[in-house]
Amino acid sequence: YYTDHVVARFLAEWAIADGAARILEPSCGDGAFFRALRNLRWGGRSKSVVACELEPAEASRAEKAMRELAPDAAEMNVGDFLAWFLRTAKGSSPFDAVVGNPPFVRYQYLAEHLQRDSERIFERHGLRFTRHTNLWVPFVIASLELLRPGGRLALVVPAELLHVLHAEGLREFLLRECSRVLVLDPEEILFGATLQGVVLLMAEKRPAGTRGEGRGTLAVHRISGRTAL
């Protein structure tokens, strides 16, 4: 299910508002967020874009949009984002922004290596793991780890972020690692064919040197759906 261009543009514009130059898209699909970024005014700094996509055909489509956006610094990784993260996180340069729409897949439907890698990502941050989790949760945790202090994360995630038990660790992690978290809750279902309620998660990682200075602020706003963006 592809991200609506209005939603992609809104999230991308917020993510790069402070002059971001190095961008990560952890599950890029056909490149909707790259097309949105390409149509935005994005300062004069050189751009670096890194993406992961499991499906080779979709990765090929997205890579074309990536190279139009950042012709000299576009890196497409065809494969699983969680495995890529666990291989490269320690040596990777931090990102200014993360944008995207991570996959929504229940734990019991994941391949064994994805179940194992999901648990490892929870363990990295001392978060309580449950087998009721969903693939989007470790995606968000890993993405936030890869952000630089002050960097911005802007993702489409299920509305269950706000209430289900298996996302409790993620909620705690967001408030611990971020200075502010904004959740926009559309009145209408943005992905009508799925009957899956979603929210727009926008978070700013704490600046360097501010760890341990209390919890971040969380704001949840109900909006009139796509038209409000």
Side-chain angles (χ1 to χ4, degrees):
Y1 295 94
Y2 300 102
T3 309
D4 180 275
H5 71 279
V6 173
V7 174
R9 181 186 175 95
F10 175 80
L11 290 175
E13 189 167 23
W14 185 85
I16 66 170
D18 64 349
R22 181 166 164 79
I23 310 297
L24 171 68
E25 220 288 31
S27 56
C28 65
D30 69 342
F33 282 87
F34 302 138
R35 289 191 293 276
L37 286 164
R38 186 184 60 203
N39 293 327
L40 293 170
R41 294 182 178 179
W42 197 4
R45 300 172 63 188
S46 60
K47 304 168 184 64
S48 171
V49 185
V50 177
C52 293
E53 173 52 43
L54 194 60
E55 297 293 335
E58 298 292 65
S60 179
R61 295 173 63 191
E63 189 169 11
K64 180 180 178 182
M66 281 181 73
R67 298 204 176 280
E68 292 174 353
L69 178 65
D72 300 320
E75 176 189 326
M76 173 62 72
N77 300 281
V78 182
D80 166 32
F81 167 68
L82 298 187
W84 174 84
F85 165 77
L86 289 168
R87 287 195 311 269
T88 64
K90 287 186 177 180
S92 175
S93 298
F95 292 90
D96 299 316
V98 180
V99 296
N101 183 353
F104 307 171
V105 185
R106 293 178 181 176
Y107 179 87
Q108 62 265 37
Y109 298 125
L110 298 176
E112 286 187 12
H113 71 278
L114 286 171
Q115 293 179 345
R116 183 175 60 252
D117 288 348
S118 295
E119 189 165 1
R120 289 176 63 190
I121 288 168
F122 275 74
E123 290 173 352
R124 286 172 70 93
H125 297 281
L127 302 175
R128 187 170 67 87
F129 181 77
T130 167
R131 293 186 177 184
H132 295 290
T133 196
N134 196 298
L135 187 57
W136 66 271
V137 178
F139 262 69
V140 177
I141 296 169
S143 295
L144 189 55
E145 181 179 334
L146 292 172
L147 268 182
R148 65 164 172 81
R152 289 184 166 194
L153 176 145
L155 300 174
V156 180
V157 300
E160 61 196 39
L161 165 70
L162 297 172
H163 58 81
V164 297
L165 183 62
H166 73 71
E168 183 177 15
L170 173 58
R171 293 192 292 269
E172 290 292 324
F173 185 62
L174 284 165
L175 291 174
R176 185 178 79 204
E177 295 294 315
C178 298
S179 55
R180 57 177 177 153
V181 180
L182 173 63
V183 178
L184 298 183
D185 182 10
E187 290 178 355
E188 69 233 37
I189 295 177
L190 295 180
F191 297 82
T194 69
L195 300 180
Q196 168 70 64
V198 301
V199 295
L200 308 185
L201 171 63
M202 302 153 71
E204 189 170 297
K205 195 167 183 178
R206 289 182 183 274
T210 62
R211 294 293 189 273
E213 295 186 4
R215 295 162 65 86
T217 58
L218 169 65
V220 181
H221 294 289
R222 188 75 161 162
I223 62 171
S224 59
R226 181 178 182 274
T227 56
L229 305 177

Short mmCIF file of all heavy atoms in Angstrom, two decimals, residues 151-218:
data_model
loop_
_atom_site.label_atom_id
_atom_site.label_comp_id
_atom_site.label_asym_id
_atom_site.label_seq_id
_atom_site.Cartn_x
_atom_site.Cartn_y
_atom_site.Cartn_z
N GLY A 151 17.95 15.61 15.03
CA GLY A 151 17.36 15.15 13.78
C GLY A 151 15.88 14.85 13.92
O GLY A 151 15.34 14.73 15.02
N ARG A 152 15.22 14.71 12.77
CA ARG A 152 13.76 14.56 12.77
C ARG A 152 13.33 13.25 12.11
O ARG A 152 13.88 12.86 11.09
CB ARG A 152 13.09 15.73 12.04
CG ARG A 152 13.18 17.04 12.82
CD ARG A 152 12.43 18.14 12.10
NE ARG A 152 12.22 19.28 12.98
CZ ARG A 152 11.37 20.27 12.72
NH1 ARG A 152 10.67 20.26 11.61
NH2 ARG A 152 11.23 21.26 13.57
N LEU A 153 12.31 12.64 12.69
CA LEU A 153 11.72 11.41 12.18
C LEU A 153 10.27 11.70 11.82
O LEU A 153 9.54 12.31 12.61
CB LEU A 153 11.82 10.33 13.26
CG LEU A 153 11.19 8.97 13.01
CD1 LEU A 153 12.04 7.87 13.65
CD2 LEU A 153 9.77 8.92 13.59
N ALA A 154 9.84 11.28 10.64
CA ALA A 154 8.47 11.52 10.18
C ALA A 154 7.97 10.28 9.46
O ALA A 154 8.38 10.00 8.34
CB ALA A 154 8.42 12.74 9.26
N LEU A 155 7.09 9.52 10.12
CA LEU A 155 6.66 8.22 9.62
C LEU A 155 5.15 8.06 9.68
O LEU A 155 4.49 8.63 10.55
CB LEU A 155 7.30 7.10 10.44
CG LEU A 155 8.83 7.00 10.47
CD1 LEU A 155 9.25 5.91 11.45
CD2 LEU A 155 9.40 6.74 9.10
N VAL A 156 4.63 7.24 8.77
CA VAL A 156 3.25 6.76 8.84
C VAL A 156 3.27 5.47 9.66
O VAL A 156 3.96 4.52 9.29
CB VAL A 156 2.69 6.48 7.44
CG1 VAL A 156 1.24 5.98 7.54
CG2 VAL A 156 2.77 7.71 6.55
N VAL A 157 2.53 5.42 10.77
CA VAL A 157 2.49 4.21 11.60
C VAL A 157 1.05 3.92 12.00
O VAL A 157 0.18 4.79 11.93
CB VAL A 157 3.38 4.37 12.87
CG1 VAL A 157 4.83 4.62 12.50
CG2 VAL A 157 2.86 5.47 13.77
N PRO A 158 0.77 2.68 12.45
CA PRO A 158 -0.60 2.37 12.87
C PRO A 158 -1.05 3.20 14.06
O PRO A 158 -0.24 3.57 14.93
CB PRO A 158 -0.51 0.88 13.24
CG PRO A 158 0.65 0.36 12.47
CD PRO A 158 1.63 1.50 12.45
N ALA A 159 -2.34 3.45 14.13
CA ALA A 159 -2.90 4.21 15.25
C ALA A 159 -2.71 3.49 16.57
O ALA A 159 -2.77 4.12 17.63
CB ALA A 159 -4.39 4.47 15.00
N GLU A 160 -2.42 2.19 16.53
CA GLU A 160 -2.19 1.43 17.76
C GLU A 160 -0.96 1.93 18.52
O GLU A 160 -0.77 1.58 19.70
CB GLU A 160 -2.04 -0.05 17.44
CG GLU A 160 -0.89 -0.40 16.54
CD GLU A 160 -1.00 -1.79 15.93
OE1 GLU A 160 -2.12 -2.21 15.56
OE2 GLU A 160 0.04 -2.46 15.84
N LEU A 161 -0.12 2.74 17.89
CA LEU A 161 0.99 3.37 18.60
C LEU A 161 0.51 3.98 19.91
O LEU A 161 1.22 3.96 20.92
CB LEU A 161 1.60 4.47 17.73
CG LEU A 161 2.53 5.47 18.43
CD1 LEU A 161 3.83 4.79 18.83
CD2 LEU A 161 2.80 6.68 17.56
N LEU A 162 -0.70 4.53 19.91
CA LEU A 162 -1.18 5.32 21.04
C LEU A 162 -1.72 4.49 22.19
O LEU A 162 -1.87 5.01 23.29
CB LEU A 162 -2.28 6.28 20.56
CG LEU A 162 -1.84 7.32 19.54
CD1 LEU A 162 -3.05 8.08 19.01
CD2 LEU A 162 -0.83 8.28 20.15
N HIS A 163 -1.99 3.19 21.96
CA HIS A 163 -2.71 2.49 23.03
C HIS A 163 -2.33 1.03 23.25
O HIS A 163 -2.53 0.52 24.35
CB HIS A 163 -4.22 2.58 22.77
CG HIS A 163 -4.66 2.03 21.46
ND1 HIS A 163 -4.85 0.68 21.23
CD2 HIS A 163 -4.91 2.65 20.28
CE1 HIS A 163 -5.23 0.50 19.97
NE2 HIS A 163 -5.28 1.67 19.38
N VAL A 164 -1.79 0.30 22.26
CA VAL A 164 -1.60 -1.13 22.48
C VAL A 164 -0.40 -1.41 23.38
O VAL A 164 0.56 -0.64 23.44
CB VAL A 164 -1.44 -1.91 21.15
CG1 VAL A 164 -2.69 -1.80 20.31
CG2 VAL A 164 -0.21 -1.43 20.39
N LEU A 165 -0.46 -2.55 24.08
CA LEU A 165 0.57 -2.91 25.03
C LEU A 165 1.91 -3.13 24.36
O LEU A 165 2.95 -2.74 24.88
CB LEU A 165 0.14 -4.17 25.80
CG LEU A 165 1.10 -4.64 26.90
CD1 LEU A 165 1.24 -3.58 27.98
CD2 LEU A 165 0.60 -5.96 27.50
N HIS A 166 1.90 -3.76 23.16
CA HIS A 166 3.18 -4.09 22.54
C HIS A 166 3.94 -2.85 22.05
O HIS A 166 5.12 -2.94 21.73
CB HIS A 166 3.01 -5.12 21.42
CG HIS A 166 2.38 -4.58 20.15
ND1 HIS A 166 3.02 -3.73 19.29
CD2 HIS A 166 1.16 -4.81 19.60
CE1 HIS A 166 2.24 -3.46 18.27
NE2 HIS A 166 1.10 -4.10 18.43
N ALA A 167 3.28 -1.70 22.00
CA ALA A 167 3.96 -0.45 21.63
C ALA A 167 4.35 0.37 22.85
O ALA A 167 4.89 1.48 22.69
CB ALA A 167 3.08 0.38 20.69
N GLU A 168 4.11 -0.16 24.05
CA GLU A 168 4.42 0.59 25.26
C GLU A 168 5.90 0.93 25.35
O GLU A 168 6.30 2.04 25.70
CB GLU A 168 3.98 -0.19 26.49
CG GLU A 168 4.20 0.57 27.80
CD GLU A 168 3.70 -0.21 29.00
OE1 GLU A 168 3.45 -1.42 28.86
OE2 GLU A 168 3.56 0.40 30.07
N GLY A 169 6.76 -0.06 25.03
CA GLY A 169 8.20 0.18 25.07
C GLY A 169 8.61 1.26 24.09
O GLY A 169 9.47 2.09 24.40
N LEU A 170 8.00 1.27 22.92
CA LEU A 170 8.30 2.30 21.93
C LEU A 170 7.86 3.67 22.42
O LEU A 170 8.60 4.66 22.26
CB LEU A 170 7.61 1.98 20.60
CG LEU A 170 7.71 3.06 19.52
CD1 LEU A 170 9.16 3.38 19.19
CD2 LEU A 170 6.94 2.64 18.27
N ARG A 171 6.69 3.76 23.04
CA ARG A 171 6.24 5.05 23.56
C ARG A 171 7.22 5.59 24.60
O ARG A 171 7.57 6.78 24.59
CB ARG A 171 4.84 4.92 24.16
CG ARG A 171 3.75 4.62 23.14
CD ARG A 171 2.36 4.78 23.72
NE ARG A 171 2.02 3.78 24.72
CZ ARG A 171 1.43 2.62 24.46
NH1 ARG A 171 1.13 2.29 23.21
NH2 ARG A 171 1.14 1.78 25.43
N GLU A 172 7.67 4.71 25.47
CA GLU A 172 8.65 5.11 26.48
C GLU A 172 9.96 5.55 25.82
O GLU A 172 10.58 6.54 26.22
CB GLU A 172 8.91 3.96 27.46
CG GLU A 172 7.75 3.65 28.37
CD GLU A 172 7.50 4.78 29.37
OE1 GLU A 172 8.48 5.40 29.83
OE2 GLU A 172 6.33 5.05 29.68
N PHE A 173 10.38 4.81 24.80
CA PHE A 173 11.62 5.11 24.10
C PHE A 173 11.55 6.47 23.41
O PHE A 173 12.48 7.26 23.46
CB PHE A 173 11.89 4.01 23.08
CG PHE A 173 13.21 4.13 22.36
CD1 PHE A 173 14.41 4.07 23.04
CD2 PHE A 173 13.25 4.28 20.97
CE1 PHE A 173 15.62 4.17 22.37
CE2 PHE A 173 14.44 4.37 20.30
CZ PHE A 173 15.64 4.32 21.00
N LEU A 174 10.42 6.76 22.78
CA LEU A 174 10.24 8.04 22.11
C LEU A 174 10.35 9.20 23.09
O LEU A 174 11.01 10.21 22.82
CB LEU A 174 8.88 8.08 21.40
CG LEU A 174 8.76 7.29 20.10
CD1 LEU A 174 7.30 7.13 19.71
CD2 LEU A 174 9.54 7.97 18.97
N LEU A 175 9.72 9.07 24.24
CA LEU A 175 9.74 10.15 25.22
C LEU A 175 11.09 10.28 25.91
O LEU A 175 11.46 11.35 26.39
CB LEU A 175 8.63 9.94 26.26
CG LEU A 175 7.21 10.11 25.71
CD1 LEU A 175 6.18 9.74 26.76
CD2 LEU A 175 6.98 11.54 25.23
N ARG A 176 11.84 9.18 25.95
CA ARG A 176 13.18 9.22 26.53
C ARG A 176 14.19 9.83 25.57
O ARG A 176 15.07 10.59 25.97
CB ARG A 176 13.61 7.79 26.90
CG ARG A 176 14.95 7.70 27.63
CD ARG A 176 15.24 6.26 27.99
NE ARG A 176 15.75 5.50 26.86
CZ ARG A 176 15.66 4.18 26.74
NH1 ARG A 176 15.03 3.46 27.67
NH2 ARG A 176 16.17 3.56 25.70
N GLU A 177 14.06 9.50 24.28
CA GLU A 177 15.06 9.90 23.30
C GLU A 177 14.74 11.20 22.58
O GLU A 177 15.63 11.78 21.94
CB GLU A 177 15.23 8.78 22.25
CG GLU A 177 15.78 7.48 22.81
CD GLU A 177 17.20 7.63 23.30
OE1 GLU A 177 18.01 8.25 22.57
OE2 GLU A 177 17.52 7.14 24.40
N CYS A 178 13.51 11.65 22.65
CA CYS A 178 13.09 12.82 21.86
C CYS A 178 12.70 13.98 22.77
O CYS A 178 12.14 13.80 23.84
CB CYS A 178 11.90 12.45 20.97
SG CYS A 178 12.31 11.16 19.77
N SER A 179 13.00 15.19 22.30
CA SER A 179 12.60 16.38 23.03
C SER A 179 11.13 16.69 22.82
O SER A 179 10.47 17.26 23.69
CB SER A 179 13.46 17.58 22.60
OG SER A 179 13.40 17.76 21.19
N ARG A 180 10.60 16.29 21.66
CA ARG A 180 9.17 16.48 21.41
C ARG A 180 8.68 15.44 20.42
O ARG A 180 9.41 15.02 19.52
CB ARG A 180 8.86 17.88 20.91
CG ARG A 180 9.58 18.31 19.66
CD ARG A 180 9.15 19.69 19.23
NE ARG A 180 9.88 20.15 18.06
CZ ARG A 180 9.40 21.03 17.18
NH1 ARG A 180 8.19 21.51 17.36
NH2 ARG A 180 10.12 21.41 16.15
N VAL A 181 7.45 15.02 20.62
CA VAL A 181 6.80 14.03 19.77
C VAL A 181 5.41 14.55 19.43
O VAL A 181 4.64 14.91 20.31
CB VAL A 181 6.69 12.66 20.47
CG1 VAL A 181 6.00 11.66 19.56
CG2 VAL A 181 8.05 12.16 20.91
N LEU A 182 5.10 14.60 18.15
CA LEU A 182 3.80 15.05 17.68
C LEU A 182 3.14 13.91 16.92
O LEU A 182 3.75 13.32 16.03
CB LEU A 182 3.94 16.28 16.76
CG LEU A 182 2.67 16.77 16.07
CD1 LEU A 182 1.64 17.24 17.07
CD2 LEU A 182 3.02 17.89 15.08
N VAL A 183 1.90 13.60 17.27
CA VAL A 183 1.13 12.56 16.59
C VAL A 183 -0.12 13.20 16.01
O VAL A 183 -0.94 13.77 16.75
CB VAL A 183 0.75 11.42 17.55
CG1 VAL A 183 -0.09 10.37 16.81
CG2 VAL A 183 2.00 10.77 18.15
N LEU A 184 -0.26 13.12 14.70
CA LEU A 184 -1.46 13.62 14.02
C LEU A 184 -2.37 12.44 13.72
O LEU A 184 -1.96 11.48 13.05
CB LEU A 184 -1.09 14.36 12.73
CG LEU A 184 -0.22 15.60 12.90
CD1 LEU A 184 0.00 16.28 11.55
CD2 LEU A 184 -0.81 16.59 13.90
N ASP A 185 -3.59 12.51 14.20
CA ASP A 185 -4.54 11.41 14.10
C ASP A 185 -5.68 11.80 13.15
O ASP A 185 -6.57 12.56 13.53
CB ASP A 185 -5.09 11.12 15.51
CG ASP A 185 -6.05 9.94 15.53
OD1 ASP A 185 -6.16 9.23 14.52
OD2 ASP A 185 -6.71 9.76 16.58
N PRO A 186 -5.67 11.32 11.91
CA PRO A 186 -6.70 11.71 10.94
C PRO A 186 -8.06 11.15 11.31
O PRO A 186 -8.18 10.03 11.81
CB PRO A 186 -6.21 11.09 9.62
CG PRO A 186 -4.77 10.76 9.85
CD PRO A 186 -4.65 10.45 11.30
N GLU A 187 -9.10 11.94 11.05
CA GLU A 187 -10.46 11.49 11.31
C GLU A 187 -10.85 10.36 10.36
O GLU A 187 -11.57 9.44 10.74
CB GLU A 187 -11.44 12.65 11.15
CG GLU A 187 -11.32 13.69 12.25
CD GLU A 187 -12.26 14.85 12.05
OE1 GLU A 187 -12.95 14.89 11.00
OE2 GLU A 187 -12.34 15.72 12.94
N GLU A 188 -10.38 10.44 9.10
CA GLU A 188 -10.73 9.40 8.14
C GLU A 188 -9.56 8.44 7.97
O GLU A 188 -8.43 8.75 8.31
CB GLU A 188 -11.09 10.01 6.79
CG GLU A 188 -9.91 10.64 6.08
CD GLU A 188 -10.18 12.08 5.65
OE1 GLU A 188 -10.85 12.80 6.39
OE2 GLU A 188 -9.69 12.45 4.59
N ILE A 189 -9.85 7.25 7.43
CA ILE A 189 -8.81 6.26 7.17
C ILE A 189 -8.07 6.66 5.90
O ILE A 189 -8.68 6.78 4.83
CB ILE A 189 -9.42 4.86 7.04
CG1 ILE A 189 -10.01 4.43 8.38
CG2 ILE A 189 -8.36 3.85 6.60
CD1 ILE A 189 -10.71 3.08 8.35
N LEU A 190 -6.76 6.88 6.01
CA LEU A 190 -5.98 7.33 4.85
C LEU A 190 -5.73 6.21 3.85
O LEU A 190 -5.55 6.45 2.67
CB LEU A 190 -4.65 7.91 5.32
CG LEU A 190 -4.72 9.17 6.17
CD1 LEU A 190 -3.32 9.62 6.57
CD2 LEU A 190 -5.44 10.30 5.42
N PHE A 191 -5.70 4.97 4.33
CA PHE A 191 -5.50 3.82 3.45
C PHE A 191 -6.78 2.99 3.49
O PHE A 191 -6.85 1.96 4.14
CB PHE A 191 -4.29 3.00 3.92
CG PHE A 191 -2.99 3.75 3.87
CD1 PHE A 191 -2.61 4.61 4.89
CD2 PHE A 191 -2.14 3.61 2.78
CE1 PHE A 191 -1.41 5.31 4.84
CE2 PHE A 191 -0.95 4.30 2.71
CZ PHE A 191 -0.58 5.15 3.74
N GLY A 192 -7.79 3.48 2.76
CA GLY A 192 -9.12 2.92 2.86
C GLY A 192 -9.22 1.45 2.57
O GLY A 192 -9.99 0.73 3.21
N ALA A 193 -8.43 0.95 1.61
CA ALA A 193 -8.53 -0.45 1.22
C ALA A 193 -8.06 -1.39 2.32
O ALA A 193 -8.40 -2.57 2.33
CB ALA A 193 -7.71 -0.70 -0.04
N THR A 194 -7.30 -0.89 3.28
CA THR A 194 -6.75 -1.74 4.33
C THR A 194 -7.61 -1.80 5.58
O THR A 194 -7.45 -2.70 6.40
CB THR A 194 -5.37 -1.21 4.77
OG1 THR A 194 -5.53 0.03 5.46
CG2 THR A 194 -4.45 -1.03 3.59
N LEU A 195 -8.49 -0.84 5.76
CA LEU A 195 -9.26 -0.67 7.00
C LEU A 195 -8.32 -0.53 8.21
O LEU A 195 -8.68 -0.86 9.33
CB LEU A 195 -10.22 -1.85 7.21
CG LEU A 195 -11.27 -2.05 6.10
CD1 LEU A 195 -12.16 -3.25 6.43
CD2 LEU A 195 -12.10 -0.80 5.89
N GLN A 196 -7.12 -0.05 7.95
CA GLN A 196 -6.12 0.13 9.00
C GLN A 196 -6.02 1.61 9.36
O GLN A 196 -5.65 2.44 8.52
CB GLN A 196 -4.75 -0.36 8.50
CG GLN A 196 -3.55 0.00 9.37
CD GLN A 196 -3.53 -0.74 10.68
OE1 GLN A 196 -3.43 -1.95 10.71
NE2 GLN A 196 -3.64 -0.01 11.78
N GLY A 197 -6.36 1.94 10.60
CA GLY A 197 -6.18 3.31 11.04
C GLY A 197 -4.71 3.63 11.20
O GLY A 197 -3.93 2.81 11.71
N VAL A 198 -4.30 4.79 10.74
CA VAL A 198 -2.90 5.20 10.86
C VAL A 198 -2.83 6.60 11.47
O VAL A 198 -3.79 7.36 11.45
CB VAL A 198 -2.17 5.19 9.50
CG1 VAL A 198 -2.20 3.82 8.86
CG2 VAL A 198 -2.73 6.26 8.56
N VAL A 199 -1.64 6.89 12.00
CA VAL A 199 -1.33 8.23 12.48
C VAL A 199 -0.01 8.66 11.86
O VAL A 199 0.76 7.84 11.34
CB VAL A 199 -1.24 8.29 14.02
CG1 VAL A 199 -2.58 7.98 14.66
CG2 VAL A 199 -0.15 7.35 14.55
N LEU A 200 0.24 9.95 11.90
CA LEU A 200 1.49 10.50 11.40
C LEU A 200 2.36 10.83 12.61
O LEU A 200 2.01 11.67 13.43
CB LEU A 200 1.24 11.76 10.56
CG LEU A 200 0.21 11.59 9.42
CD1 LEU A 200 0.14 12.87 8.60
CD2 LEU A 200 0.53 10.40 8.54
N LEU A 201 3.48 10.12 12.71
CA LEU A 201 4.39 10.27 13.84
C LEU A 201 5.53 11.20 13.45
O LEU A 201 6.25 10.93 12.49
CB LEU A 201 4.95 8.90 14.25
CG LEU A 201 6.08 8.90 15.28
CD1 LEU A 201 5.61 9.48 16.61
CD2 LEU A 201 6.63 7.49 15.46
N MET A 202 5.70 12.28 14.20
CA MET A 202 6.73 13.27 13.93
C MET A 202 7.49 13.52 15.22
O MET A 202 6.90 13.97 16.21
CB MET A 202 6.07 14.56 13.40
CG MET A 202 5.25 14.31 12.14
SD MET A 202 3.89 15.49 11.91
CE MET A 202 4.83 16.95 11.50
N ALA A 203 8.77 13.20 15.23
CA ALA A 203 9.55 13.27 16.47
C ALA A 203 10.89 13.93 16.22
O ALA A 203 11.50 13.75 15.15
CB ALA A 203 9.76 11.87 17.05
N GLU A 204 11.35 14.69 17.19
CA GLU A 204 12.66 15.36 17.11
C GLU A 204 13.56 14.82 18.20
O GLU A 204 13.23 14.90 19.39
CB GLU A 204 12.48 16.88 17.26
CG GLU A 204 13.74 17.66 16.97
CD GLU A 204 13.47 19.16 16.89
OE1 GLU A 204 12.69 19.58 15.99
OE2 GLU A 204 14.01 19.89 17.73
N LYS A 205 14.68 14.24 17.80
CA LYS A 205 15.59 13.62 18.77
C LYS A 205 16.23 14.69 19.65
O LYS A 205 16.49 15.81 19.21
CB LYS A 205 16.67 12.83 18.03
CG LYS A 205 17.44 11.85 18.90
CD LYS A 205 18.26 10.90 18.05
CE LYS A 205 18.98 9.88 18.89
NZ LYS A 205 19.74 8.92 18.06
N ARG A 206 16.47 14.31 20.90
CA ARG A 206 17.05 15.27 21.84
C ARG A 206 18.39 15.80 21.33
O ARG A 206 19.20 15.04 20.81
CB ARG A 206 17.28 14.62 23.20
CG ARG A 206 16.04 14.32 23.99
CD ARG A 206 16.43 13.72 25.33
NE ARG A 206 15.27 13.34 26.10
CZ ARG A 206 14.60 14.17 26.90
NH1 ARG A 206 14.98 15.43 27.01
NH2 ARG A 206 13.55 13.75 27.57
N PRO A 207 18.67 17.09 21.53
CA PRO A 207 20.00 17.62 21.21
C PRO A 207 21.06 16.95 22.07
O PRO A 207 20.77 16.44 23.15
CB PRO A 207 19.88 19.12 21.54
CG PRO A 207 18.41 19.40 21.51
CD PRO A 207 17.74 18.14 21.99
N ALA A 208 22.29 16.97 21.59
CA ALA A 208 23.39 16.39 22.34
C ALA A 208 23.52 17.06 23.70
O ALA A 208 23.33 18.27 23.84
CB ALA A 208 24.70 16.55 21.55
N GLY A 209 23.82 16.27 24.73
CA GLY A 209 24.04 16.81 26.06
C GLY A 209 22.79 17.01 26.88
O GLY A 209 22.86 17.55 27.98
N THR A 210 21.62 16.58 26.38
CA THR A 210 20.38 16.80 27.14
C THR A 210 19.78 15.50 27.66
O THR A 210 18.67 15.50 28.15
CB THR A 210 19.32 17.52 26.28
OG1 THR A 210 18.98 16.69 25.15
CG2 THR A 210 19.84 18.86 25.80
N ARG A 211 20.50 14.38 27.56
CA ARG A 211 20.01 13.12 28.10
C ARG A 211 19.83 13.25 29.61
O ARG A 211 20.61 13.90 30.30
CB ARG A 211 20.98 11.98 27.80
CG ARG A 211 21.11 11.62 26.33
CD ARG A 211 19.82 11.02 25.78
NE ARG A 211 19.99 10.48 24.44
CZ ARG A 211 19.88 11.20 23.34
NH1 ARG A 211 19.64 12.49 23.43
NH2 ARG A 211 20.03 10.65 22.16
N GLY A 212 18.80 12.64 30.13
CA GLY A 212 18.57 12.65 31.56
C GLY A 212 17.93 13.92 32.08
O GLY A 212 17.86 14.12 33.29
N GLU A 213 17.46 14.78 31.19
CA GLU A 213 16.84 16.03 31.63
C GLU A 213 15.31 15.96 31.57
O GLU A 213 14.65 16.93 31.27
CB GLU A 213 17.35 17.19 30.76
CG GLU A 213 18.84 17.47 30.93
CD GLU A 213 19.28 18.70 30.17
OE1 GLU A 213 18.41 19.38 29.58
OE2 GLU A 213 20.49 18.98 30.16
N GLY A 214 14.78 14.79 31.88
CA GLY A 214 13.33 14.65 31.89
C GLY A 214 12.79 14.08 30.60
O GLY A 214 13.50 13.88 29.63
N ARG A 215 11.50 13.82 30.59
CA ARG A 215 10.85 13.21 29.44
C ARG A 215 10.52 14.27 28.39
O ARG A 215 10.32 15.44 28.69
CB ARG A 215 9.56 12.52 29.88
CG ARG A 215 9.81 11.33 30.80
CD ARG A 215 8.57 10.95 31.56
NE ARG A 215 7.51 10.47 30.70
CZ ARG A 215 7.40 9.21 30.29
NH1 ARG A 215 8.29 8.31 30.67
NH2 ARG A 215 6.39 8.83 29.53
N GLY A 216 10.47 13.81 27.13
CA GLY A 216 10.06 14.70 26.07
C GLY A 216 8.58 15.01 26.16
O GLY A 216 7.83 14.38 26.92
N THR A 217 8.13 15.98 25.40
CA THR A 217 6.72 16.34 25.39
C THR A 217 6.01 15.61 24.26
O THR A 217 6.55 15.45 23.17
CB THR A 217 6.55 17.86 25.21
OG1 THR A 217 7.17 18.26 23.98
CG2 THR A 217 7.17 18.61 26.35
N LEU A 218 4.81 15.15 24.53
CA LEU A 218 3.99 14.44 23.55
C LEU A 218 2.71 15.22 23.30
O LEU A 218 2.01 15.58 24.25
CB LEU A 218 3.66 13.04 24.06
CG LEU A 218 2.60 12.25 23.27
CD1 LEU A 218 3.09 11.95 21.87
CD2 LEU A 218 2.23 10.97 24.00
#
